[in-house]
Every structure is written in structure tokens, then in C-alpha cells.
Amino acid sequence: MDWFPLLNSLRIAAISTVIVFFLGIAAAYYIAKLPRGVKGVLDVVLMLPLVLPPTVVGFLLLLLLGPNHPLGAWVLETWNVRLVMQWWSAVFAVAVVAFPLMYRTARGAFEGFDSTLADAGRTLGLSNSYIFWHIRMPSCRKGVLAGAVLAFARALGEYGATSMLAGYAPGRTATISTEVYQLWNTGEDAAALKWVLVNLAISVVLLVVMNLLEKREGRR
């Protein structure tokens, strides 16, 4: 059994989760402090990938990153690098699709933070960065960690946008999801079922980890 789709899926999910972890936290932190009207507009824009069909997200990304479109053509002409149909092309797709989960979960955690703790820190002369990393983040870690786990799980199972942006090439761009579809499409149901079971096992582990984190935080 060729394990490349699993390894490729894991590295794509890991890289994209790191990206959306920091971007989601930054967006959640600053947007949570904005006026309600502005916050509502930004919420709609940032949450769109969660409700749009993944293939639509993939198509929109192709309009931006494709070799015949603005950004993709500029990168290809400047550095001779194609932004699509590479294994790392899926990172763009997965990050866009998984971002709303990280952002919304982190924002909910930040909005539930007791701001008097930050005010007390300022009266003691603590910097905003120190307050953020040593007071706000530890207090909100349950929501932040839950968002990271959900983003990773979503990234691992992404198919629509990934297939459009990275395609399917055995040993190059194949992921678990695209491998399952390709095997089913060629009538290899038994092989497809093996990958389904692999994906199911990983998903169960992720859900167990998230539940354990919640119980640990609850005891604290």
C-alpha cells in the first residue's frame, strides 16, 4: 500500500493549520474589538469559505492563482513557479477552507475573556504583548486549541478545493480524499475502503483529543 496520500495529507493539514492558527488568532483578536457593524461585515467575508461549496472556493482560487490569471501569471513570469498543480498548492486551498473554523472559535474565546484581567495587567505596567501571551491566551486556550483541532480535521478531509487547485497525481499531489475518489472512480472499492478507514481512524483520534482537552480544561 502506497502511503504517500496519507503523508501528503498530513503535511498539507499541518502546514495549513499552522498558517490559519496564527492568522485566525490575529483576525479574531483585532476584529473582536471593532464596532458591531464593521465586525458583522468582516464576519460575513471571512466566514464565506465555510458556507460556499469547496469547489466554488477552488474555482475562485484558480481565478487568482492560475497561470493565466493575475497573481499566478506574475509569479510564473517572475520566478518561473506555478502556484497550481503542485502538492503545496493544496495548502492554499485547505488554509482558506479551514480558516473560518479557527477564526470563529478563537473569536468566541476572546469575546468571553474577562477584560478586567487585562486592565489589571496594564495597571501593573505590563505590555500589551505580555498581557496577550501570558494572560489572554492562557485564559482562552480551550477555545484556541479546539479551533486548531477542528481546523486540522477539516484540512485533513478537504477534497473539493484541493482537487481543483492541486489536482490528482499519484506520488505528487494525491491526498487521502483525492485517492479515495480516484480509486472509487476506477472501480477499486476495496482499496478505497482502506483509505476511508484510515481517514476515519484519524478523525476519531482527533475527536478524542479534543474531548480530552475539554475535560482537562474543565477540571482546571
Side-chain angles (χ1 to χ4, degrees), residues 47-154:
M47 295 297 291
L48 269 177
L50 188 64
V51 296
L52 286 174
T55 49
V56 172
V57 175
F59 177 75
L60 293 175
L61 287 173
L62 281 175
L63 293 180
L64 177 66
L65 304 177
N68 297 321
H69 298 282
L71 182 58
W74 178 75
V75 172
L76 182 61
E77 182 180 348
T78 306
W79 289 294
N80 196 31
V81 174
R82 289 175 61 91
L83 295 180
V84 298
M85 301 306 157
Q86 310 288 339
W87 74 263
W88 42 265
S89 302
V91 173
F92 301 131
V94 169
V96 171
V97 172
F99 173 82
L101 291 171
M102 184 68 219
Y103 159 71
R104 199 63 186 85
T105 308
R107 211 195 86 184
F110 288 151
E111 289 178 340
F113 174 71
D114 185 358
S115 60
T116 59
L117 296 175
D119 295 335
R122 294 189 188 95
T123 61
L124 296 174
L126 301 178
S127 66
N128 286 333
S129 61
Y130 184 92
I131 291 171
F132 179 83
W133 291 110
H134 293 86
I135 298 177
R136 188 182 300 270
M137 283 295 287
S139 299
C140 301
R141 61 177 172 261
K142 179 180 178 180
V144 171
L145 290 175
V149 173
L150 287 173
F152 183 85
R154 181 67 185 86

Side-chain angles (χ1 to χ4, degrees), residues 160-179:
T162 297
S163 62
M164 294 194 68
L165 213 62
Y168 174 80
R172 288 185 55 244
T173 67
T175 63
I176 293 177
S177 299
T178 57
E179 185 76 9

